Amino acid sequence: MSQVLPIEKKQLRACLLCSLIKNASQFRANGCENCEEILQMRGSMDRVSECTSSKFEGTVALMDPESSWVGRWQRIDKFERGLYAIVVYGRVPEDVEDELERRGITYKPRDGSVQD
């Protein structure tokens, strides 16, 4: 399992679907390690702007996803190791919500507006 860390503190953004924090340039270069199949951000700064947010609160460093109680609490225990936001403000684009629904996945925004 790899780890994903921001390369610098400038232009940090959090994925609206999984809350992974990286630089905008990293999202453009590599997409989201957890959500790229659905979000398709790689190579598109417009898509990065739509599917990530610069407005987030708190951070969690996920080092051992399988055994982390914080990872389970944040619903990130199945994701890659890395830095994650606790709260991310914004919603994924409508086409992403439609794709999630088509795949039978319930979208839960990471802004705390929907409780488990």
Side-chain angles (χ1 to χ4, degrees):
M1 180 177 282
S2 67
Q3 67 183 22
V4 182
L5 297 173
I7 53 176
E8 58 184 61
K9 294 180 184 177
K10 294 179 182 177
Q11 296 184 337
L12 289 179
R13 300 188 67 84
C15 175
L16 289 169
L17 197 52
C18 73
S19 76
L20 179 66
I21 298 172
K22 301 195 308 184
N23 305 93
S25 60
Q26 287 177 289
F27 278 116
R28 188 186 69 237
N30 304 313
C32 179
E33 282 72 9
N34 301 310
C35 310
E36 185 59 19
E37 181 181 337
I38 294 171
L39 299 181
Q40 301 175 352
M41 291 188 275
R42 187 175 294 127
S44 172
M45 194 51 106
D46 288 340
R47 195 67 174 167
V48 169
S49 295
E50 293 174 348
C51 297
T52 65
S53 175
S54 61
K55 297 177 181 168
F56 59 86
E57 293 181 15
T59 57
V60 171
L62 186 66
M63 303 304 289
D64 187 1
E66 293 84 21
S67 63
S68 170
W69 70 266
V70 174
R72 286 190 302 277
W73 171 61
Q74 284 296 114
R75 302 184 327 263
I76 59 175
D77 56 316
K78 304 288 189 249
F79 296 154
E80 295 291 322
R81 291 184 286 183
L83 191 63
Y84 290 83
I86 294 173
V87 175
V88 183
Y89 296 102
R91 289 186 71 95
V92 295
E94 195 172 309
D95 67 298
V96 173
E97 285 195 51
D98 292 344
E99 177 62 19
L100 291 169
E101 186 177 317
R102 189 181 70 72
R103 293 178 183 216
I105 301 169
T106 303
Y107 172 57
K108 294 180 183 173
R110 297 210 168 253
D111 63 3
S113 62
V114 176
Q115 299 296 318
D116 289 335

